[in-house]
Amino acid sequence: MLPLYLSIEGLYSYRNKQEIDFTRLTEAGLFGIFGKVGSGKSSIIEAISFVLYGETERLNKQEKRAYNMLNLRSDVANIVFEFLNYEGRKFRFTAQWKRRKKFEDTTSLERYAYEWKDGAWIPLDSNDGTLVTQLTYPNFRRTIIIPQGQFKEFLELRGKDRSEMMKDIFNLDRFDLGPKVAILQRQNNSKLEQLNGALSGFDAVSLEILDSKQQELETAKRHLASVKEETALLEKEVSRLMESKKKRDELVQKKEDVQEYLLEQPRIIQLEKELRTYEITQSAFREILNTTHNLNKEKEQLTHKIEQLTVRKSEVLNRLEKEETEWEKIAPAYQQLDFFKAESEDLKVLIDILQNKTQQEKLSKRLQDGKPYLLQAQDEEKKLLASIESEEKRLDELKNTRVDTSVLLTLESWYQTDDNIGSAIVELKAQRQQLQNELIQTTKIFEEQSTSIDDWESVLLQQETKLNAELTSLQREETHLKVQAKLSEFAGSLAEGQPCPLCGALDHPNPMANHDMATKIQDVMDKQIEVKQHQQQLKASYQALTATSIRWRDKKTQLTQSETNVQNMEEKLKIHREQFRWEEFSPTDKTAFLAYKDKNYLAETHIKSGEANLKNLRVQWQTCQLKIEKYKNSLAEFEQSVTVLDQLNRQNIRQIKRLKPTDFEHVDETGLLNKKQETEKKITFLEDSHKRLSESIQSLRTEFAHINGERAASKERFQQLYQQLNSKQAEISTLLKEHGYSDIIQVQHILQKNMDVDSSRKTIQEFNLNLQVLLRNIAELEKSVALDAYGESIYQEKTTLYALKREELELQIRVTGALEKEHARLRVEFEKKEKLLEEYEKLALRKSNLTTLENLFRGSGFVNYVSSIHLQRLCEIANQRFHRLTKNNLSLTMNENNEFEVVDFLHNGFKRSVKTLSGGQAFQASLCLALALAESIQSMNKADKNFFFIDEGFGTQDPESMNTVFETLQYLNRDNRIVGIISHVEELKERIPRAITVVNDIEKGSQLTYH
């Protein structure tokens, strides 16, 4: 992570907004933030942690964190932090909260996160800094920004906690495959159990059963083919006989149909006659009769309409006269409408004047009541200023009596060094004595073996040579005896006339005889075992004496080194005591120094108490100032409001047009409101009535004219219809005479039948066509049946035989189908069984492999192993700097519990706990480990640059160690490391290329200045 920008407002001592451009600081690679105690230095890194994670070291959520972090003279806190993460992506995190009306209540914390993309800040879904930095809050404060009191936390963590941290930072959980292996095992075992259950259902499936079912199926198929052939022949014969029978039945049916048609023929002839009469009459009379009917209907409707229009005309005329009468009644009052509106406006102004006078009286009373409070607060402010001045004088006097801190620190450092050297000499002498005792004990071991430290190897070598020669002789003797024993076996198996298995001779005059050969061989083998046991004992003695010899040489070397170390430390103590230059103190008696130190502590205690008291008085004075300012503002607002109300009343009086204010001096606000409401109701009534009557009269006049015109048009149409009806009556009389009808009733009787001409004509045509077709079909069927050889008995016999054969075929088909299904089922089941067996073998092999993996990953052993590798690597990287800082006197290492230990080369390389380190040494070790951890994270994230912030530690270093630490930090810039230092030691400013000074101003709060 590389910081770019930070702004703080309203946080702790930061009252006003302060901004830090980190790009100006990080260019140098090493920068500092300096200021006195309580100036607000640590608040900078606390703001960064809080805006990224919503967490802080000083306070937790249960401690009213938002209220306590908010500046007491601020109403809002705001933090903005911009930075580049390990991927080079630019982010902005913000945090804000405000004070509510009640001083100790605050709003909830609002945190937001953005990323710079395409020239704009794009909001992120989550405000968790872990997702951006890839570090949790605890690991962030251990590796990037380390607050006060936490610098040695990583160094002194317990093994388990440190391993968990390594898992988190380096994502070592990906190596914890134990749970995954367990899941795979459960899944694999479940599948094996399922396969066992599935295979138990295939016990009745085998290759022999499948072959037997195949033979049954082939026999059934051959029989089915034979039955199918016989059935097909019978089916063909039965089909021919059924066709002949069908033709005979059809001939009988068609003859019956012809008889029915002949009975229907007279009705069809009558229908044809009526249809001709209906068509002629309809053609001549239908149209003229319809026209006459329509004209009569329209005449009746028109008569009814004229009657309705006459009634409506009378009604509209009456309504119009009534509306005009009502209009004449309101006309005089409507002409005075403007007067009534002006009167309403004047009443509104009078009401405003009365309300303003009431408000003036209230404000005047509050003005008089508030002045004593202002005077009381001003008196309190004077008393507080006097107390502050007195306390400042007393505090200055105390500071003038404060002892010289630099002398105190230098003396304390000298005494501490003297004690350390003295303790080291005691430890070295004790170590030397222990080594001497151990050498004596080692020498006794050689004496017990009847040898010495110088010639023990040659003695053991001679013994070993002797035993090897003895063993070789016994092995040769054993071989000779075994050959003799084998020859004796051959000699014992010889027979006369049979060839010898060795030489082939047929004659065996003097065969070999050897007795007790097995006993001799066993004696030789027992001697060999005894010799080998002596060799093993000699080998064990050699190994033991070798280890003892090496240990003796090591102890001898350590003893020499120890004696040298004692001399060096005694010389160092002598030089150190020669450097004591304080005459008023004793190098061997610390009593005067401790009294001097107590005096300084007492003075510092009084100064801190005075500063706290002064701070409290200033807070009270600031609170009093705010109270006075509040009273002054309120009283000024009251006076201004009274003046404004008086001016408004004068302006309102000038706006009155119709009424006289003197007429309403004794009327209260309620009376004026009632008068105004009555006037407004009268105005509303006149405007609504005028509008309604005007619209109604205009509408009625328009409606009357429309009705009058429509009535005249209806009368004219009525005369036209009357003439048209007379003309049509004359035409009907002429047609009756022409077609021979006596009156119109005969014509209407014919037309009332409403015959469907098309349907009737179609019925007649279909009847004649069907009759002709039937007669033709009967002739064709009689000709066809005369030639076939059909007999009813033959038909019945063949039909019965075919039905039986059909049943036999269906039965055989079912039998064959069942055999096919069973064979197919067995074949599928057999294939399933083979696949299940194959799968079972794979799962069994997988189970074996998973068991091996389970043993490997049990109890997070592999993860802990990887974690220990990372920790060892951290030690190697850290030691590159730690050796230089400690002048190769100390080194960091890991024990079997993954806990840090120190290898002390001044004490023969013995290991000891890191908790035994001095404050300065612990700072050096923590610094080297933190830098190593930051480098590992940078390497893992492939970041170009990384940032590291230190908020303590330099006060524990002597000048020489300080030089070494600063050289180490300055070299970091070459490795793209940027280090920020927070300290109250002002002397460090000259050694830091870029810096910021923080000053806590009483009025403005913490202020930042660049150097």
Side-chain angles (χ1 to χ4, degrees), residues 786-814:
L787 300 176
D788 62 359
Y790 173 79
E792 185 64 27
S793 60
I794 296 174
Y795 172 74
Q796 294 296 333
E797 180 183 352
K798 294 292 184 181
T799 303
T800 303
L801 183 59
Y802 173 72
L804 293 173
K805 187 58 71 175
R806 184 74 181 176
E807 291 178 0
E808 182 183 0
L809 176 62
E810 291 177 354
L811 178 61
Q812 189 60 36
I813 290 173
R814 288 196 294 273

Side-chain angles (χ1 to χ4, degrees), residues 730-781:
E731 292 180 9
I732 291 171
S733 298
T734 303
L735 289 173
L736 289 174
K737 292 178 181 179
E738 183 180 345
H739 290 84
Y741 292 111
S742 58
D743 55 23
I744 194 64
I745 295 175
Q746 291 180 344
V747 175
Q748 290 176 345
H749 179 70
I750 293 171
L751 294 177
Q752 284 175 356
K753 294 180 179 181
N754 287 327
M755 293 182 67
D756 189 348
V757 177
D758 294 335
S759 178
S760 299
R761 184 177 292 110
K762 183 177 180 182
T763 300
I764 295 169
Q765 291 175 354
E766 287 179 352
F767 178 83
N768 293 330
L769 180 61
N770 290 338
L771 181 59
Q772 293 175 7
V773 170
L774 281 172
L775 293 174
R776 186 167 58 253
N777 289 340
I778 289 172
E780 292 176 354
L781 288 171

Side-chain angles (χ1 to χ4, degrees), residues 8 29 137 172 252 375 377 409 448 625 798 915 935 998 1011:
I8 308 174
Y137 173 64
L172 299 185
V252 173
L375 295 174
L409 292 174
E448 292 172 357
Q625 279 188 319
K798 294 292 184 181
K915 295 182 180 179
E935 285 181 357
V998 185
H1011 296 283

Side-chain angles (χ1 to χ4, degrees), residues 480-664:
H480 175 71
L481 290 173
K482 287 183 177 179
V483 171
Q484 294 296 319
K486 197 66 177 177
L487 291 174
S488 297
E489 291 179 6
F490 287 129
S493 61
L494 292 176
E496 289 297 332
Q498 297 292 329
C500 176
L502 296 177
C503 63
L506 297 176
D507 187 19
H508 315 292
N510 189 17
M512 180 181 179
N514 198 347
H515 303 289
D516 298 330
M517 193 61 67
T519 302
K520 294 179 181 179
I521 293 173
Q522 185 62 43
D523 290 341
V524 172
M525 292 179 67
D526 290 341
K527 291 179 181 179
Q528 288 183 16
I529 293 173
E530 185 178 353
V531 172
K532 289 180 179 179
Q533 289 176 350
H534 286 308
Q535 286 181 330
Q536 291 294 332
Q537 292 174 359
L538 186 62
K539 184 178 180 180
S541 298
Y542 184 84
Q543 290 176 348
L545 291 176
T546 300
T548 305
S549 175
I550 293 172
R551 187 163 62 252
W552 185 88
R553 291 191 184 94
D554 290 343
K555 297 300 180 183
K556 191 69 174 177
T557 304
Q558 291 177 16
L559 179 60
T560 304
Q561 182 64 39
S562 178
E563 290 174 349
T564 303
N565 291 339
V566 170
Q567 294 175 0
N568 292 336
M569 291 303 292
E570 289 176 344
E571 183 66 23
K572 186 176 181 180
L573 179 61
K574 180 181 178 182
I575 295 172
H576 177 71
R577 289 189 174 178
E578 289 176 353
Q579 294 175 350
F580 192 84
R581 61 182 183 277
W582 299 276
E583 297 178 355
E584 62 271 27
F585 299 102
S586 171
T588 56
D589 187 3
K590 298 170 65 174
T591 306
F593 166 72
L594 294 175
Y596 189 75
K597 185 176 179 181
D598 291 340
K599 180 181 178 182
N600 178 69
Y601 176 76
L602 185 62
E604 290 293 337
T605 303
H606 288 310
I607 290 171
K608 288 182 179 179
S609 175
E611 288 177 343
N613 188 31
L614 181 61
K615 182 179 179 181
N616 184 39
L617 289 172
R618 285 173 176 168
V619 171
Q620 294 179 14
W621 175 64
Q622 291 172 355
T623 305
C624 186
Q625 279 188 319
L626 294 174
K627 189 189 298 184
I628 292 171
E629 189 68 23
K630 179 180 177 183
Y631 288 157
K632 287 181 177 180
N633 292 337
S634 298
L635 293 175
E637 289 177 1
F638 293 159
E639 291 176 353
Q640 184 179 3
S641 298
V642 170
T643 304
V644 170
L645 289 173
D646 187 59
Q647 293 176 354
L648 284 174
N649 283 341
R650 293 176 182 176
Q651 184 178 358
N652 288 335
I653 291 173
R654 290 194 296 269
Q655 292 178 356
I656 297 175
K657 299 177 181 179
R658 297 284 184 181
L659 301 178
K660 295 180 179 180
T662 55
D663 296 340
F664 297 92

Side-chain angles (χ1 to χ4, degrees), residues 770-938:
N770 290 338
L771 181 59
Q772 293 175 7
V773 170
L774 281 172
L775 293 174
R776 186 167 58 253
N777 289 340
I778 289 172
E780 292 176 354
L781 288 171
E782 287 177 344
K783 182 179 178 181
S784 177
V785 299
L787 300 176
D788 62 359
Y790 173 79
E792 185 64 27
S793 60
I794 296 174
Y795 172 74
Q796 294 296 333
E797 180 183 352
K798 294 292 184 181
T799 303
T800 303
L801 183 59
Y802 173 72
L804 293 173
K805 187 58 71 175
R806 184 74 181 176
E807 291 178 0
E808 182 183 0
L809 176 62
E810 291 177 354
L811 178 61
Q812 189 60 36
I813 290 173
R814 288 196 294 273
V815 171
T816 306
L819 287 173
E820 285 181 340
K821 289 181 180 178
E822 181 64 16
H823 179 265
R825 185 190 68 80
L826 286 173
R827 186 171 64 251
V828 171
E829 294 296 312
F830 185 74
E831 292 174 355
K832 288 181 180 178
K833 184 176 181 180
E834 288 184 331
K835 291 181 179 179
L836 289 174
L837 289 172
E838 181 181 356
E839 183 68 19
Y840 186 85
E841 292 177 359
K842 292 180 180 178
L843 290 176
L845 178 60
R846 181 177 175 82
K847 180 179 180 180
S848 175
N849 294 335
L850 288 174
T851 302
T852 303
L853 289 175
E854 180 191 16
N855 295 330
L856 177 62
F857 296 113
R858 182 179 290 116
S860 299
F862 189 68
V863 175
N864 292 333
Y865 170 71
V866 176
S867 175
S868 65
I869 292 175
H870 278 280
L871 287 171
Q872 290 289 351
R873 177 58 181 160
L874 281 179
C875 279
E876 294 174 4
I877 298 173
N879 280 329
Q880 295 174 5
R881 297 187 177 93
F882 192 52
H883 289 164
R884 185 168 66 248
L885 291 175
T886 61
K887 298 181 179 179
N888 293 321
N889 290 332
L890 300 176
S891 179
L892 293 171
T893 186
M894 301 297 301
N895 62 16
E896 62 276 4
N897 296 323
N898 276 351
E899 294 178 346
F900 287 114
E901 290 184 341
V902 177
V903 179
D904 192 342
F905 294 109
L906 293 177
H907 296 81
N908 296 324
F910 284 107
K911 297 179 182 178
R912 54 190 173 94
S913 172
V914 293
K915 295 182 180 179
T916 62
L917 292 173
S918 66
Q921 291 172 335
F923 169 76
Q924 294 171 348
S926 301
L927 173 63
C928 295
L929 280 173
L931 291 172
L933 189 59
E935 285 181 357
S936 298
I937 295 173
Q938 180 190 20

Side-chain angles (χ1 to χ4, degrees), residues 116 142 182 199 244 258 271 275 329 336 390 402 430 475 498 526 640 692 717 724 754 780-781 803 816 928 978 986 1002:
W116 182 261
R142 291 167 180 162
L199 286 170
S244 298
V258 167
L271 177 60
L275 182 60
K329 290 180 180 179
Q336 297 182 356
S390 174
R402 186 162 52 185
Q475 289 175 343
Q498 297 292 329
D526 290 341
Q640 184 179 3
R692 179 181 60 79
R717 177 59 181 163
Q724 290 177 359
N754 287 327
E780 292 176 354
L781 288 171
T816 306
C928 295
I978 298 171
E986 292 293 328
I1002 297 176

